[in-house]
Amino acid sequence: MKQQKRTSFHAVRDEVKRRIESRIWPQGTLLPTESDLAEEFGCARATVNRALRELAEQGFVERKRKSGTRVKTAPVRQARFEISLARRVVEEQNGDYRYALVERAEIAAPAWLSSQLGLPPGTRVLHLLCMHYADNRPFQLEERWVSLAAVPAMEQADLSRIGPTEWLMTAIPFTDAEIAFGAIGADSRLAEFLSTSVGMPVMQMERTTWLKGQPVTFARLTHHPGFRVRTAY
Amino acid sequence: MKQQKRTSFHAVRDEVKRRIESRIWPQGTLLPTESDLAEEFGCARATVNRALRELAEQGFVERKRKSGTRVKTAPVRQARFEISLARRVVEEQNGDYRYALVERAEIAAPAWLSSQLGLPPGTRVLHLLCMHYADNRPFQLEERWVSLAAVPAMEQADLSRIGPTEWLMTAIPFTDAEIAFGAIGADSRLAEFLSTSVGMPVMQMERTTWLKGQPVTFARLTHHPGFRVRTAY
DNA sequence: CAGTGGTCTAGACCACCTC
DNA sequence: AGGTGGTCTAGACCACTGA
């Protein structure tokens, strides 16, 4: 017999969730007020508040002052996936990870990049091309542009052994990112790097990263054919 | 001058976050205890707790009893994207949404589906094929298998006007799902439905859905060429 | 303007963990 | 065994917003 001595907010949260999922409180229902629920569960209002706040975060209910708490009619569910680090993905699949720096150059930001990152035209950026391998087979081609104004230290970085993604994650963690991905057909360069043939469908991910609102880097990560992104929520 | 009368947990959270991002508290640093921070900020410990709990949820710090709160060394950032409903995606882009049911059949679950969903072999499932259009151009081909044991009401559902995804979302919201997506080359059937040519790279998304642990449905959503998934943040 | 959620407090006890 | 975060309480005031 596992019995909570005191009413935990877990108990309240789970019971309310159960009532929503069991349609005891169907979609659109107005829930009792926090005070009422506190009385029903025999706990403090703060405890109910904590429970309902979590359910709101998870998208089960919607809360508004004065109106009260309502079961969401069209729950907007979100899926999450980890922002992947090639090495970690490979190692999680028990693969042998290898990295290689293919190209490194300091250039003036091309126009498309300036507009993508919101950089003044002509800003000096570091252009990088690297390969990530799993069991000696191409896993991901990483092409990246880094604003040297945002990360001056990167000019001196030794990227022969550690990939730029990993370097940046230790140098400037806690960045904001925007990610988009889609399917493209491999062009001749991609086909060569990824050991596949021209036109093969591959997943390409584009990441734009900011640090405290300042644009840092834009990366285009192209994966070997057959690569899949998985999520859970 | 905007000044908080009382110390809000926002203020504490933002200040701690600032210290982490500014490397005042570098990665790995052990933060002061809740009580100490409460004293520093002149607030109750509960307020500090709320602030730190949020930072922990967001992946900035790691909390352990007795050990204390530590700045995360390798922050695992997660990206999120909305679980899309074709109609909503199209309408958000100011497109004209149209839906068509192509095929509907009740069949015995094929072996691959039984194993995918964990259903007893031979379970009766509803097999659906539908098209979603944006501005009369193919947007998404939806192929779906629904366990009638899990959603008996679906046998009577009128799916001629509302797509199965949308029907299911109102019939049984609050499900759990697993999503995987990748790039594939269109086969002849896909090419025809999506008005493209064989071999064109397209994004295919596979969703498996459970309701309270019970398998409900498996869907394969294939998008028109050029479709991209974007993260919310 | 009145009702509801949002937040804060001061104190308390507890559970877990490292020492 | 003792320190740290986890949680709860009872009461209070605040801020938003719908009637």
Side-chain angles (χ1 to χ4, degrees), chain A residues 23 27 50 53 60 77 79-81 83 170-171 173-174 177 179-181 184-185 201 206 228-231 233, chain B residues 23 27 50 53 60 77-81 83 170-171 173-175 177 179-181 185 201 206 228-229 231 233:
Chain A
R23 309 294 188 95
Q27 293 170 75
R50 170 86 191 266
R53 183 154 29 89
F60 286 92
R77 304 303 305 235
R80 302 176 188 183
F81 61 94
I83 292 184
T170 50
F174 313 121
I179 300 180
F181 38 111
I184 61 156
E206 291 185 346
R228 285 158 72 87
V229 178
R230 282 171 222 289
T231 73
Y233 75 132
Chain B
R23 308 295 187 94
Q27 293 168 75
R50 169 86 192 265
R53 184 154 29 90
F60 286 92
R77 304 304 304 236
Q78 291 188 332
R80 300 175 190 189
F81 61 93
I83 292 185
T170 51
F174 312 121
T175 51
I179 301 180
F181 39 109
E206 292 185 343
R228 286 158 72 88
V229 178
T231 57
Y233 64 109

Side-chain angles (χ1 to χ4, degrees), chain B residues 107-184:
Chain B
I107 59 170
W112 68 266
L113 182 66
S114 297
S115 88
Q116 171 77 32
L117 284 178
L119 286 171
T123 311
R124 280 186 350 131
V125 296
L126 193 60
H127 176 230
L128 299 161
L129 197 65
C130 340
M131 276 297 302
H132 303 268
Y133 298 89
D135 297 322
N136 273 329
R137 286 198 305 264
F139 175 76
Q140 179 193 88
L141 175 69
E142 172 176 359
E143 187 164 21
R144 184 180 286 275
W145 293 263
V146 185
S147 159
L148 287 171
V151 205
M154 195 145 192
E155 200 167 351
Q156 317 296 335
D158 174 16
L159 296 173
S160 59
R161 318 206 62 178
I162 294 177
T165 308
E166 214 162 339
W167 189 92
L168 283 165
M169 277 185 71
T170 51
I172 48 164
F174 312 121
T175 51
D176 295 316
E178 236 176 64
I179 301 180
F181 39 109
I184 62 157

Side-chain angles (χ1 to χ4, degrees), chain B:
Chain B
M1 290 277 92
K2 192 174 158 190
Q3 173 112 17
Q4 301 282 355
K5 280 171 201 162
R6 320 170 69 156
T7 315
S8 87
F9 80 93
H10 289 105
V12 178
R13 182 196 57 190
D14 294 348
E15 173 58 17
V16 171
K17 188 172 163 184
R18 191 189 67 78
R19 291 186 191 172
I20 292 173
E21 287 180 335
S22 320
R23 308 295 187 94
I24 295 173
W25 287 335
Q27 293 168 75
T29 307
L30 190 62
L31 268 58
T33 66
E34 292 190 347
S35 312
D36 290 349
L37 285 172
E39 195 177 353
E40 181 197 334
F41 289 109
C43 66
R45 183 164 80 91
T47 306
V48 173
N49 181 281
R50 169 86 192 265
L52 294 184
R53 184 154 29 90
E54 265 196 23
L55 289 175
E57 270 170 22
Q58 293 169 25
F60 286 92
V61 298
E62 206 162 16
R63 319 195 71 196
K64 266 188 203 163
R65 284 158 153 139
K66 169 74 181 180
S67 319
T69 302
R70 204 173 277 281
V71 180
K72 267 211 182 173
T73 44
V76 177
R77 304 304 304 236
Q78 291 188 332
R80 300 175 190 189
F81 61 93
E82 273 191 22
I83 292 185
S84 60
L85 190 62
R87 181 174 61 74
R88 214 180 294 164
V89 175
V90 170
E91 286 174 354
E92 267 169 17
Q93 296 167 353
N94 295 319
D96 217 29
Y97 174 72
R98 190 164 66 80
Y99 159 79
L101 177 61
V102 179
E103 231 181 272
R104 183 193 182 284
E106 286 179 33
I107 59 170
W112 68 266
L113 182 66
S114 297
S115 88
Q116 171 77 32
L117 284 178
L119 286 171
T123 311
R124 280 186 350 131
V125 296
L126 193 60
H127 176 230
L128 299 161
L129 197 65
C130 340
M131 276 297 302
H132 303 268
Y133 298 89
D135 297 322
N136 273 329
R137 286 198 305 264
F139 175 76
Q140 179 193 88
L141 175 69
E142 172 176 359
E143 187 164 21
R144 184 180 286 275
W145 293 263
V146 185
S147 159
L148 287 171
V151 205
M154 195 145 192
E155 200 167 351
Q156 317 296 335
D158 174 16
L159 296 173
S160 59
R161 318 206 62 178
I162 294 177
T165 308
E166 214 162 339
W167 189 92
L168 283 165
M169 277 185 71
T170 51
I172 48 164
F174 312 121
T175 51
D176 295 316
E178 236 176 64
I179 301 180
F181 39 109
I184 62 157
D187 59 19
S188 61
R189 186 184 68 153
L190 285 174
E192 194 169 339
F193 276 113
L194 298 172
S195 300
T196 185
S197 40
V198 173
M200 274 295 279
V202 292
M203 283 273 288
Q204 189 170 75
M205 182 180 301
E206 292 185 343
R207 284 193 217 167
T208 312
T209 306
W210 292 268
L211 179 62
K212 298 184 199 172
Q214 188 188 19
V216 173
T217 176
F218 174 75
R220 194 172 279 143
L221 312 172
T222 315
H223 296 82
H224 73 281
F227 174 78
R228 286 158 72 88
V229 178
R230 286 177 170 67
T231 57
Y233 64 109

